[in-house]
Amino acid sequence: MTSKRKLRGVELRGVELRRTGGESAADAALRGSGGRSRLSPRAVGIVRELGGRTFEVIGFYNPGRDTKWDAACGSGFLGNFYETPFAFFPPVGQLIEFRNAEAAFQACKFWSRASDFAALSGNAAYRLKKQLRNPDFTYGGFGRGNGANWRAMQAVLAAK
């Protein structure tokens, strides 16, 4: 059915939601997955038409746990807060192992304190970033101005 819907505070306009057996596809997938993403993302129940073309959407978020969309699409591992240890270093730093991509990205703004972020959850890393002052907007050497944050995140995700 095409309608205006809300899922966890996000408004979806003009999105087709398919239902299976009276429950949403997201509910069905979460029930069947044990609540944990698998490393096999898939579009589930959402089709978006744009400019005469149809796109299937893979939704993900994972704020430290799989949401219904993460379970439905098997995609929670794509979220920045997803717990998966990996090693990363920016152009001006040393190699450090982080618990998740959010911690590594936030550490880029305060690389002299990167080890403080290494063992934090995504939520805790975000809170620590808000407490600290004078962020490095080169993001650990990824340049100045527009695009530095994108280059830093791209490098973090490539390492993840």
Side-chain angles (χ1 to χ4, degrees):
M1 82 163 85
T2 301
S3 66
K4 182 174 159 182
R5 294 279 179 121
K6 278 194 156 189
L7 176 69
R8 296 182 77 59
V10 177
E11 191 172 283
L12 304 171
R13 296 174 190 244
V15 173
E16 180 181 345
L17 299 175
R18 295 182 209 138
R19 297 187 78 76
T20 59
E23 67 181 339
S24 72
D27 287 332
L30 183 60
R31 186 176 38 76
S33 71
R36 194 76 177 132
S37 289
R38 297 162 299 281
L39 298 180
S40 56
R42 62 196 174 283
V44 175
I46 302 174
V47 176
R48 177 81 172 145
E49 289 191 30
L50 183 64
R53 296 177 63 192
T54 300
F55 299 89
E56 292 189 354
V57 177
I58 297 173
F60 64 93
Y61 177 47
N62 193 292
R65 60 173 168 59
D66 274 355
T67 64
K68 288 181 181 182
W69 285 115
D70 295 319
C73 297
S75 57
F77 69 94
L78 296 172
N80 292 346
F81 288 53
Y82 185 80
E83 297 285 329
T84 183
F86 67 97
F88 170 75
F89 64 96
V92 299
Q94 72 281 8
L95 187 68
I96 295 179
E97 186 168 303
F98 291 92
R99 276 178 59 181
N100 55 71
E102 186 68 17
F105 179 71
Q106 298 302 342
C108 286
K109 297 177 212 172
F110 304 95
W111 197 259
S112 65
R113 297 192 56 182
S115 61
D116 294 343
F117 289 86
L120 298 180
S121 69
N123 286 311
Y126 186 81
R127 285 192 305 273
L128 177 58
K129 179 259 323 192
K130 291 183 76 129
Q131 294 171 5
L132 299 176
R133 299 195 186 276
N134 303 316
D136 169 16
F137 288 115
T138 71
Y139 293 81
F142 285 100
R144 294 202 177 274
N146 291 339
N149 59 338
W150 287 96
R151 288 187 294 277
M153 181 56 83
Q154 189 174 30
V156 166
L157 295 178
K160 176 183 164 187

